[in-house]
């Protein structure tokens, strides 16, 4: 699909580091707009779980890319499945957190995921997509591009509240992942051209949501 095909669909692109509020805001915004929501990080996590379960060496980029092209990945409000097997919880383990950046740095895996993300939005006439490269690579012509941020402390606190884990360990884990995601050669985490930077530190969800609806010209 070329850019002309995808630019006609109504896409909201939400990028930013781990724990910035992308999923919470993305889901709420999609519900308000009557659009579907896609967590693209869950796709990279699914490839990681498939590689772990299939004993594919994560550092063997050819083998991981071939696996990524072969598997069927479902990411939806009813959960995440790889080839029909539920991995909703399996994709959120500390082991996956530690390995997923390596999979996400694989250029051939990214090419496959980007193609699937564009097809997902095309099939639905648009949607709210959340990730690291949605505004920069997947949908550079999105109707709205948002780069969500929050202080490192608050991002770690939020993740700790969600998972019940130790804040310090979580802070170390997200710092390491953000560094790898920002420093990789292919589609690094960065503010896309034309993206609006929104800092969610200390702000209620509803407040951020109203700002985004305002940017879209939709009455909250
Ligand atoms: O959003 P998340 O924490 O579930 O993302 C998991 C990993 O995948 C993270 O290391 C960033 C990477 N990712 C990416 O590179 N591009 C995306 N569009 C989404 C996620």
């Amino acid at each position: 699909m070329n850019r002309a095909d995808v630019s006609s669909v109504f896409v909201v692109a939400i990028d930013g580091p781990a724990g910035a509020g992308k999923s919470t805001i993305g889901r709420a915004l999609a519900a308000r707009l009557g659009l579907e929501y896609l967590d693209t990080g869950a796709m990279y996590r699914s490839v990681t779980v498939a590689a772990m379960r299939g004993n594919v060496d994560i550092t063997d980029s050819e083998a991981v890319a071939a696996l990524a092209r072969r598997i069927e990945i479902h990411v939806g409000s009813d959960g995440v499945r790889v080839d029909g097997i539920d991995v909703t919880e399996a994709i959120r383990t500390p082991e996956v957190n530690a390995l997923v950046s390596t999979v996400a740095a694989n250029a051939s895996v990214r090419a496959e995921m980007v193609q699937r993300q564009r097809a997902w939005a095309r099939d639905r006439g648009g949607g709210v997509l959340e990730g690291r490269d949605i505004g920069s690579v997947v949908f550079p012509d999105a109707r709205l591009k948002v780069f969500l941020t929050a202080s490192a402390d608050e991002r770690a606190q939020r993740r700790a509240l969600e998972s019940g884990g130790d804040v310090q360990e979580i802070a170390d884990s997200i710092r390491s992942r953000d560094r790898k995601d920002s420093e990789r050669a292919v589609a690094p985490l960065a503010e896309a051209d034309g993206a609006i930077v929104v800092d969610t530190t200390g702000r209620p969800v509803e407040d951020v949501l109203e700002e985004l609806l305002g940017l879209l010209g939709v009455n909250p």
Side-chain angles (χ1 to χ4, degrees):
M1 186 171 26
N2 62 36
R3 293 222 346 215
D5 293 325
V6 292
S7 62
S8 58
V9 297
F10 191 106
V11 167
V12 177
I14 303 182
D15 295 301
K22 300 187 300 293
S23 301
T24 307
I25 301 292
R27 277 199 188 90
L29 184 65
R32 283 286 180 90
L33 296 170
L35 295 172
E36 282 191 61
Y37 159 78
L38 182 63
D39 169 6
T40 64
M43 298 172 71
Y44 293 96
R45 289 173 178 274
S46 294
V47 176
T48 307
V49 167
M52 287 162 69
R53 293 190 174 172
N55 288 321
V56 174
D57 177 358
I58 289 283
T59 62
D60 182 342
S61 48
E62 281 302 312
V64 177
L67 175 76
R69 287 191 284 265
R70 196 163 64 230
I71 56 176
E72 194 241 333
I73 301 172
H74 167 85
V75 177
S77 53
D78 57 344
V80 181
R81 294 191 291 278
V82 172
D83 288 336
I85 295 166
D86 189 288
V87 294
T88 312
E89 284 174 21
I91 62 167
R92 305 285 167 198
T93 62
E95 292 75 20
V96 173
N97 287 342
L99 294 175
V100 66
S101 297
T102 304
V103 171
N106 182 319
S108 307
V109 171
R110 297 202 72 82
E112 175 67 21
M113 296 303 120
V114 167
Q115 209 175 43
R116 293 186 188 199
Q117 290 151 15
R118 288 182 178 151
W120 178 91
R122 182 197 54 211
D123 290 348
R124 289 160 178 77
V128 176
L129 292 92
E130 171 229 308
R132 303 292 189 290
D133 63 338
I134 308 302
S136 54
V137 174
V138 188
F139 287 108
D141 301 323
R143 192 66 60 96
L144 175 65
K145 300 196 253 186
V146 183
F147 191 87
L148 279 192
T149 63
S151 72
D153 274 358
E154 184 151 326
R155 295 192 286 116
Q157 302 267 6
R158 288 178 187 166
R159 281 286 152 101
L161 271 177
E162 278 164 19
S163 67
D166 175 72
V167 183
Q168 203 47 54
E169 271 174 32
I170 290 172
D172 290 346
S173 158
I174 60 179
R175 198 175 309 118
S176 140
R177 209 142 53 84
D178 286 346
R179 197 182 47 242
K180 286 186 200 152
D181 291 337
S182 307
E183 290 175 356
R184 69 178 176 226
V186 195
L189 168 66
E191 291 159 29
D193 280 347
I196 312 249
V197 180
V198 175
D199 189 333
T200 66
T201 311
R203 292 178 67 185
V205 173
E206 198 54 35
D207 185 39
V208 178
L209 206 52
E210 274 181 29
E211 180 176 349
L212 301 190
L213 289 167
L215 289 168
L216 281 164
V218 175
N219 281 335

